């Protein structure tokens, strides 16, 4: 493991993309072999998991699958650094004074609340940070072009993230790792937990040149801008892909008259893919592998929706992530993307945790994804935010945030009839739709989950 400089990583990324898919695949395979050998030599968990496998791995599919539950259960054995123990990590995260400080003076640590409630604690080493920074810079460069780079570099950035604790955004920001220093003239954190009118007023005052946040928050802000309450003109909006529909994507562009860059990543796997202007996510595929699979972890063909996806992060050595079940459903593009990027492209259809399963009348399971609900609610512009909660196998409770000036009852009736149509198209007439009195609620990490299946 060597520490490449930022510039050599940036250049390496550029040259490899120019060299094309075969060179990328070769590079990825050699990084995979090196990481697997490193994990076997230094992580007792992987040594045991890979026992009986040949010394040289020809195909990543030879490796067994892992997940958050297994890694968290073997925490001390999973790390390749024997100084990393759950006891030390736990003491570290319990101390609010240490948010953003490196753990053991070298690792960047962050926690996930986990949409299914099991908390994960992950750390990234310096090499992974350098890789992420170089990839992020490539995206900004390709998004705005060299000509506008000086303006971009002097712009003020508003980061709308979950504040408090060691959540990924907060910890990385405070550590200055995103290239940022806490609340200087150029960067400011805005809590995703602020009431919307307060967030709007603070952003009006700050006038950011770059707006960075969750897709759901940015969408709310686009509504505020459209309603004339928010008045900002960012030159770039950067957001998590989070299953945005094309219509939502176009809305953000038209309201802010600006470039959007999206990305797909997670606390445990780092940066996985970057969005293009055709709304596809392109793998950063020399540093990561993305395998769309079915429920039995068998590969699914391009063009077919996957049940979940297995991620391997080939940069991070301290806690290797190899064939990790991340729980998102994706759709891989069968042909080359018209944007010209040679990297494989996919769309994120939603978290498996955000897919509702209903018993059909003959009891076979029927699934509806969160994207199908967002497409539906998008057709009613007065609905600013929605949340569908499955309270029993055949009951959906619907929380809506409806524009103040709209007739609340009328909009509800519209939404209810659209939902009933959707359910009918799946022959799910026996599923009841209930109106909630409370508005949508944020999860611990600050996201608004659009769909909450039963027992999640
Ligand atoms: Zn593309």
């Amino acid at each position: 493991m060597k520490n490449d400089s930022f510039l050599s990583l940036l250049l390496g990324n550029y040259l490899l993309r120019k060299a094309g898919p075969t060179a990328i695949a070769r590079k990825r395979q050699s990084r995979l072999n090196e990481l697997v050998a490193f994990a076997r030599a230094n992580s007792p968990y992987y040594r045991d998991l890979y026992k009986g496998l040949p010394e040289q791995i020809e195909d990543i599919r030879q490796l067994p699958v892992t997940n958050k539950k297994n890694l968290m259960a073997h925490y001390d054995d999973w790390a390749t650094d024997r100084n990393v123990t759950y006891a030390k990590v736990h003491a570290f995260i319990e101390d609010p004074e240490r948010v953003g400080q490196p753990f053991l003076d070298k690792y960047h640590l962050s926690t996930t609340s986990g949409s299914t409630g099991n908390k994960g604690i992950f750390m990234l080493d310096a090499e992974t940070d350098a890789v992420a920074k170089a990839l992020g810079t490539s995206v900004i460069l390709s998004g705005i072009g060299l000509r506008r780079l000086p303006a971009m570099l002097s712009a003020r950035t508003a980061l709308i993230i979950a504040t408090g604790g060691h959540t990924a955004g907060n910890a990385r920001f405070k550590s200055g790792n995103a290239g940022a220093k806490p609340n200087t003239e150029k960067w400011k954190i805005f809590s995703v937990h602020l009431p919307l009118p307060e967030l709007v007023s603070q952003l009006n005052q700050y006038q950011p040149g770059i707006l960075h946040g969750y897709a759901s928050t940015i969408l709310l802000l686009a509504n505020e801008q459209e309603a004339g309450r928010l008045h900002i003109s960012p030159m770039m909006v950067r957001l998590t892909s989070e299953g945005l529909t094309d219509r939502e994507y176009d809305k953000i562009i038209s309201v802010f008259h600006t470039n959007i860059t999206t990305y797909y990543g997670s606390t445990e796997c780092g940066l996985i893919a970057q969005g293009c202007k055709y709304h596809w996510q392109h793998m950063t595929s020399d540093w990561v592998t993305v395998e769309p699979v079915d429920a039995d972890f068998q590969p699914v063909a391009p063009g077919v929706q996957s049940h979940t996806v297995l991620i391997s992060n080939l940069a991070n050595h301290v806690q290797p992530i190899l064939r990790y079940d991340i729980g998102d459903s994706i759709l891989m593009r069968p042909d080359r993307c018209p944007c010209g990027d040679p990297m494989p492209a996919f769309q994120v259809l939603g978290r498996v945790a955000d897919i509702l399963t209903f018993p059909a009348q003959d009891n076979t399971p029927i699934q509806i994804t969160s994207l199908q609900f967002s497409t539906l609610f998008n057709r009613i512009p007065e609905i600013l935010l929605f949340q569908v909660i499955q309270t029993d196998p055949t009951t959906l409770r619907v929380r809506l945030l409806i524009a103040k000036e709209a007739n609340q009852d009328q909009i509800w009736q519209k939404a209810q009839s659209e939902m009933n149509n959707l359910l009918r198209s799946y022959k799910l007439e026996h599923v009841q739709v209930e109106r909630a009195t409370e508005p949508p609620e944020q999860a611990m990490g600050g996201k608004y989950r659009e769909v909450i299946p039963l027992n999640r």
Side-chain angles (χ1 to χ4, degrees):
M1 186 178 23
K2 60 179 189 315
N3 283 322
D4 290 320
S5 76
F6 169 72
L7 276 178
S8 75
L9 284 164
L10 193 62
L11 187 67
N13 183 42
Y14 173 79
L15 291 175
L16 200 61
R17 276 177 182 243
K18 283 263 173 240
T22 316
I24 292 164
R26 206 178 308 126
K27 188 77 185 169
R28 190 176 48 208
Q29 184 65 31
S30 85
R31 283 187 179 134
L32 175 70
N33 285 340
E34 187 269 324
L35 181 59
V36 167
F38 186 85
R40 282 174 124 170
N42 298 288
S43 154
Y45 167 75
Y46 279 112
R47 193 177 307 144
D48 190 50
L49 189 68
Y50 294 169
K51 197 170 52 195
L53 293 181
E55 205 171 311
Q56 192 73 8
I57 300 300
E58 308 288 333
D59 184 331
I60 195 165
R61 285 172 293 187
Q62 289 170 273
L63 303 175
V65 171
T66 188
N67 59 32
K68 178 154 79 178
K69 204 168 141 212
N70 289 342
L71 296 179
M72 292 309 296
H74 298 92
Y75 205 79
D76 297 2
D77 280 349
W78 165 35
T80 57
D81 179 342
R82 301 269 52 80
N83 287 316
V84 173
T85 65
Y86 187 78
K88 281 189 217 167
V89 166
H90 192 73
F92 184 91
I93 62 170
E94 288 298 298
D95 184 353
E97 291 295 305
R98 305 186 70 179
V99 171
Q101 286 179 11
F103 174 68
L104 300 179
D105 292 329
K106 53 184 163 181
Y107 302 127
H108 291 287
L109 189 145
S110 39
T111 59
T112 65
S113 51
S115 38
T116 51
N118 42 353
K119 189 171 180 145
I121 310 169
F122 297 91
M123 59 189 80
L124 302 175
D125 52 31
E127 172 85 354
T128 315
D129 267 331
V131 167
K133 223 187 261 183
L135 291 172
T137 306
S138 315
V139 170
I140 290 178
L141 277 175
S142 64
I144 60 153
L146 267 179
R147 199 168 48 82
R148 296 180 65 201
L149 189 64
M152 190 75 163
L153 291 176
S154 59
R156 286 193 287 199
T157 299
L159 272 174
I160 307 165
I161 55 176
T163 51
H166 293 263
T167 54
N170 203 38
R172 290 175 68 75
F173 181 75
K174 284 206 173 173
S175 71
N177 228 346
K181 304 230 171 6
N183 295 347
T184 62
E185 259 177 39
K186 279 208 191 152
W187 295 80
K188 192 165 177 188
I189 294 180
F190 297 85
S191 170
V192 78
H193 300 292
L194 279 177
L196 191 60
E198 183 58 32
L199 179 61
V200 166
S201 131
Q202 291 191 14
L203 287 171
N204 279 336
Q205 208 166 18
Y206 188 64
Q207 289 299 319
I210 301 168
L211 186 64
H212 190 146
Y214 296 124
S216 51
T217 314
I218 302 287
L219 205 54
L220 272 183
L221 291 174
N223 288 321
E224 291 299 294
Q225 179 99 357
E226 202 174 39
R229 290 182 287 269
L230 179 68
H231 319 273
I232 56 173
S233 41
M235 68 176 85
M236 181 182 268
V237 177
R238 181 147 169 82
L239 50 130
T240 54
S241 59
E242 228 180 72
L244 272 185
T245 62
D246 287 357
R247 189 175 153 160
E248 290 166 336
Y249 191 97
D250 291 340
K251 176 168 183 175
I252 295 171
I253 292 185
S254 72
V255 167
F256 291 114
H257 309 287
T258 189
N259 284 307
I260 294 193
T261 64
T262 61
Y263 62 95
Y264 171 55
S266 73
T267 305
E268 57 267 52
C269 302
L271 183 68
I272 299 166
Q274 317 263 18
C276 75
K277 63 177 177 182
Y278 293 94
H279 309 188
W280 289 86
Q281 292 290 322
H282 288 269
M283 277 187 216
T284 54
S285 76
D286 47 321
W287 286 107
V288 71
T289 70
V290 176
E291 299 171 73
V293 291
D294 65 17
D296 299 319
F297 304 126
Q298 295 307 305
V300 299
V304 177
Q305 179 178 349
S306 77
H307 174 74
T308 184
V309 60
L310 305 177
I311 305 290
S312 305
N313 174 336
L314 306 180
N316 196 29
H317 282 62
V318 59
Q319 286 181 331
I321 294 284
L322 288 160
R323 300 202 89 208
Y324 177 91
D325 177 4
I326 199 173
D328 285 333
S329 171
I330 67 167
L331 178 84
M332 197 64 84
R333 197 184 163 103
D335 53 352
R336 188 158 164 163
C337 186
C339 74
D341 189 324
M343 299 292 192
F346 59 89
Q347 277 176 346
V348 182
L349 301 174
R351 305 223 19 115
V352 176
D354 293 345
I355 294 174
L356 296 177
T357 308
F358 303 96
Q361 266 139 352
D362 65 359
N363 259 330
T364 53
I366 295 208
Q367 294 195 315
I368 303 185
T369 66
S370 62
L371 202 61
Q372 282 157 296
F373 287 102
S374 31
T375 310
L376 179 161
F377 287 112
N378 273 183
R379 289 198 289 265
I380 311 171
E382 294 85 354
I383 296 179
L384 306 181
L385 214 57
F386 74 90
Q387 199 164 52
V388 176
I389 305 142
Q390 189 176 28
T391 52
D392 71 48
T394 56
T395 307
L396 294 179
R397 185 175 173 84
V398 184
R399 295 172 174 160
L400 295 179
L401 179 65
I402 299 172
K404 275 192 217 85
E405 52 277 16
N407 180 323
Q408 305 284 310
D409 290 337
Q410 234 170 43
I411 299 300
W412 161 252
Q413 277 152 19
K414 232 187 212 176
Q416 190 185 28
S417 109
E418 289 273 4
M419 281 196 63
N420 284 332
N421 287 341
L422 176 73
L423 291 166
R424 202 171 307 122
S425 70
Y426 282 87
K427 299 200 167 43
L428 291 170
E429 289 91 344
H430 54 293
V431 174
Q432 301 294 315
V433 176
E434 246 177 45
R435 181 181 186 175
T437 45
E438 72 280 4
E441 289 171 10
Q442 284 168 310
M444 257 173 59
K447 284 189 193 180
Y448 286 98
R449 293 184 60 198
E450 295 185 329
V451 156
I452 304 175
L454 196 59
N455 303 325
R456 292 282 192 168

